[in-house]
Amino acid sequence: MKFSFIVSLVGWVVVFVAVALLYYALRAFGVFHFLEQTVTTVTSSKGHAGSDASAWFSTSTVLGFTMLAGAINVVLFTALATVGAVIYNIVTHLAGGVEVTLREAD
């Protein structure tokens, strides 16, 4: 359980840093500005100004959802790895396991 928790926690940090770097790179290139303009253009009509997509692509929203998804991933990965290890140990105990003998070649 401890090992799977540490691995999933490290994975969370790696994914968060990758998303943050990708987000700032795309923001520097102006991708989100063009996406916001496209959403506004597509959803506008004569009597309606269109949807404002700037809140969808804000830094706090993107990184907040990344942190939420990472936290859920840490909990699920730790729980599933622990349950998997318990099931493996039970099956190995019941079936006797597999014995492997290694020897040097002559």
Side-chain angles (χ1 to χ4, degrees):
M1 183 173 135
K2 287 186 243 180
F3 179 75
S4 64
F5 176 71
I6 296 299
V7 167
S8 62
L9 199 62
V10 168
W12 182 23
V13 170
V14 168
V15 167
F16 184 79
V17 169
V19 167
L21 290 175
L22 185 63
Y23 175 79
Y24 287 120
L26 291 175
R27 191 177 77 172
F29 289 131
V31 171
F32 296 116
H33 176 70
F34 289 120
L35 282 174
E36 291 167 9
Q37 284 181 342
T38 303
V39 168
T40 303
T41 303
V42 168
T43 59
S44 65
S45 63
K46 290 183 182 181
H48 187 342
S51 295
D52 183 25
S54 62
W56 301 349
F57 302 116
S58 69
T59 305
S60 61
T61 302
V62 171
L63 295 182
F65 279 122
T66 303
M67 288 190 71
L68 178 65
I72 292 170
N73 185 31
V74 166
V75 171
L76 289 178
F77 184 78
T78 303
L80 290 175
T82 304
V83 169
V86 168
I87 291 172
Y88 173 79
N89 287 334
I90 289 171
V91 168
T92 328
H93 181 68
L94 292 174
V98 177
E99 185 175 327
V100 177
T101 305
L102 301 174
R103 65 181 188 131
E104 287 188 30
D106 291 329

